[in-house]
Amino acid sequence: MQNESTLFVVLRLPGGSGSKQLDEDVETTDAPDMISWEDDPNTPRAKMSCGHAITPETLTTYCESLLSAGKYVFKCPYISPATEYCGKEWSYLEVRRLAVLTLDEQKQFEIKISDNYLRKGMGIQECPKCHSLCERIDKKDKRVVCPLCSAAGTMEYHFCWYCLHEWVGTSVDKCDNEDCNGEDKRLKILRESKKKTIVGVANCPAIRACLKCGMLIEHDRACKHMACICGQKFCFICLKPAIEGNYQCGTYKSPCEVADVQTTIPGDD
């Protein structure tokens, strides 16, 4: 365990008539639950896509803890006896099915996933110590002061905006944490975005950053024209902004040239 590691608490509760039932075609396993170590042969455990076992109840509680921590991606927490971390990403569809989410749980999950995704995209981070939400006064700042932690202690609490650990060193520009490369995490999301076809134009990144505020926007379906919540309108394919409400590249379904993957975050300069 390292400094400021995240711990997930999962309650192990007795089963009963209200327990969740996996679909008959779900692959199950006799391996113990990776978190609660439940090994009762009468308690079905789903085999996740990464191969590790978990009950629907434990999966639900674990994923709820991730959402409460501001996450929007679900990753396997399994750690082998050799202390090797799995970390394989599970899709929401997989989680929804194998956690046997109720309609109410699905609604809550989807709201939290959207909220957390938007918060990250808009440049709001959680303080790694108290988990309050912090926004930079200057978008170029890498070293950020948490007002709540600072008010509660005798010294200001500084953390790195990018690696989300307590700031190490005296520099204001370079965090000396070993795992910090000083890069905005949104750039990695943009680089690794899947490609898709939009209005017949192939190989378009599925995620773009708003040209004005830098919020990450994922293309879902339909046309190429986008309108960010900040008011900026632009073409998702060529990234040309709308001028006085008029798009420069034709109608919503007109093909245009695919712009390169963005390598800077608009609004941070």
Side-chain angles (χ1 to χ4, degrees):
M1 185 180 299
Q2 298 179 347
N3 183 35
E4 295 174 355
S5 296
T6 301
L7 297 179
F8 299 102
V9 178
V10 178
L11 297 178
R12 187 174 185 178
L13 302 175
S17 58
S19 62
K20 298 184 174 186
Q21 300 297 318
L22 292 165
D23 290 340
E24 292 183 358
D25 59 344
V26 169
E27 184 178 1
T28 57
T29 175
D30 293 331
D33 185 303
M34 73 176 94
I35 296 177
S36 69
W37 295 106
E38 171 67 68
D39 58 2
D40 185 339
N42 296 317
T43 301
R45 293 175 291 281
K47 185 176 182 180
M48 302 299 292
S49 56
C50 56
H52 298 121
I54 196 166
T55 65
E57 291 81 6
T58 301
L59 179 58
T60 300
T61 306
Y62 167 66
C63 290
E64 285 176 339
S65 73
L66 291 179
L67 294 174
S68 297
K71 309 296 184 183
Y72 56 86
V73 173
F74 305 110
K75 293 185 178 182
C76 176
Y78 179 77
I79 299 177
S80 72
T83 68
E84 294 179 351
Y85 170 58
C86 176
K88 178 178 173 58
E89 185 175 329
W90 301 325
S91 71
Y92 168 62
L93 294 179
E94 178 182 10
V95 168
R96 185 178 69 184
R97 183 168 184 243
L98 300 186
V100 195
L101 297 182
T102 65
L103 290 177
D104 184 59
E105 287 172 335
Q106 290 179 38
K107 180 179 179 181
Q108 294 304 316
F109 266 54
E110 289 161 13
I111 289 173
K112 288 293 292 182
I113 290 171
S114 298
D115 287 348
N116 292 346
Y117 183 84
L118 287 173
R119 273 199 342 227
K120 293 292 184 183
M122 292 175 69
I124 298 174
Q125 295 283 33
E126 274 192 1
C127 168
K129 185 176 182 181
C130 72
H131 304 294
S132 64
L133 299 180
C134 300
E135 184 176 7
R136 293 180 291 185
I137 297 175
D138 186 332
K139 290 188 176 181
K140 295 181 181 179
D141 289 342
K142 297 179 181 179
R143 183 171 180 168
V144 181
V145 177
C146 173
L148 290 184
C149 289
S150 300
T154 57
M155 297 178 61
E156 286 188 338
Y157 179 79
H158 298 246
F159 69 92
C160 176
W161 187 259
Y162 297 128
C163 72
L164 294 180
H165 286 88
E166 183 174 4
W167 188 271
V168 175
T170 58
S171 171
V172 295
D173 296 320
K174 185 178 184 300
C175 169
D176 288 336
N177 279 297
E178 291 184 0
D179 61 346
C180 182
N181 61 7
E183 179 184 72
D184 191 316
K185 294 182 183 297
R186 288 175 290 177
L187 292 174
K188 184 173 186 291
I189 294 174
L190 291 171
R191 281 198 304 271
E192 297 179 354
S193 170
K194 296 179 180 179
K195 299 296 194 297
K196 64 180 299 185
T197 298
I198 302 175
V199 297
V201 179
N203 295 318
C204 181
I207 299 175
R208 296 288 204 182
C210 170
L211 306 184
K212 181 180 180 181
C213 70
M215 187 180 83
L216 298 186
I217 301 173
E218 182 171 14
H219 187 277
D220 183 18
R221 59 186 182 277
C223 76
K224 64 178 187 175
H225 291 165
M226 287 289 157
C228 181
I229 60 174
C230 73
Q232 177 67 54
K233 296 181 179 180
F234 65 97
C235 173
F236 206 83
I237 299 176
C238 68
L239 291 182
K240 291 180 180 178
I243 299 177
E244 295 183 352
N246 297 314
Y247 290 88
Q248 303 181 58
C249 53
T251 67
Y252 68 93
K253 59 180 180 180
S254 299
C256 55
E257 186 176 353
V258 178
D260 293 336
V261 172
Q262 292 156 291
T263 57
T264 59
I265 299 296
D268 277 3
D269 46 24

